[in-house]
Amino acid sequence: MKRTFLLALTLVWSLLLTAGPLAQGEAFGPVRTAIRSSSSRDLAQYFAPTVELSFDGDKQSYSATQAEFVMKDFFAKHSPASFDFIHYGGSNEGTPYAVGKYAGKDGAYRMFVKMKQAGGGLKIATIDFTKE
């Protein structure tokens, strides 16, 4: 009886530990799709009212509309050959983030995306590209 209880407890605990990263990954699924297709319009649907964009350390805050045009320009100059998120996480306050590998035709970038609660859902607050 005790062994069955411990086995059940271990199973439940392992399911709970894997549910967090899966749930975080699901929040980034549409973002991944928009980036892979280099669609600034689709990506902009997930922007918070103000978005911080950073390209190799040059950070600026933009309105969602301005950020869409900045991303459109970036995708035009650095269209993705491949893209995928390689790590998902969350801060102690519950802010989800993801780290990705963006391979453009002119080189590879490490990409960091942070979301925040806005408008009743999770929205992109930060996108950071760092050339590798």
Side-chain angles (χ1 to χ4, degrees):
M1 176 75 172
K2 187 175 180 180
R3 183 174 182 206
T4 305
F5 175 74
L6 287 174
L7 182 61
L9 183 63
T10 304
L11 179 62
V12 169
W13 184 253
S14 65
L15 288 174
L16 289 174
L17 288 176
T18 59
L22 289 177
Q24 290 170 349
E26 290 173 12
F28 288 96
V31 174
R32 179 189 313 111
T33 302
I35 294 169
R36 281 181 178 170
S37 65
S38 66
S39 174
S40 59
R41 177 176 290 169
D42 291 346
L43 186 61
Q45 293 178 32
Y46 305 101
F47 285 165
T50 302
V51 182
E52 183 178 272
L53 298 178
S54 175
F55 301 94
D56 286 326
D58 181 22
K59 292 183 182 184
Q60 286 195 315
S61 291
Y62 299 95
S63 71
T65 303
Q66 291 171 318
E68 178 181 352
F69 287 109
V70 172
M71 289 306 302
K72 182 177 183 177
D73 185 53
F74 178 82
F75 288 145
K77 292 177 182 174
H78 312 280
S79 61
S82 67
F83 172 75
D84 210 352
F85 286 118
I86 55 175
H87 175 75
Y88 300 100
S91 70
N92 292 338
E93 295 81 32
T95 304
Y97 65 85
V99 177
K101 178 106 173 160
Y102 183 97
K105 294 183 178 169
D106 65 334
Y109 294 85
R110 177 73 51 158
M111 187 176 177
F112 174 79
V113 179
K114 182 175 77 172
M115 292 188 158
K116 69 177 182 179
Q117 286 290 334
L122 287 173
K123 300 290 184 178
I124 297 171
T126 303
I127 299 178
D128 183 6
F129 288 91
T130 305
K131 192 155 184 144
E132 294 186 322

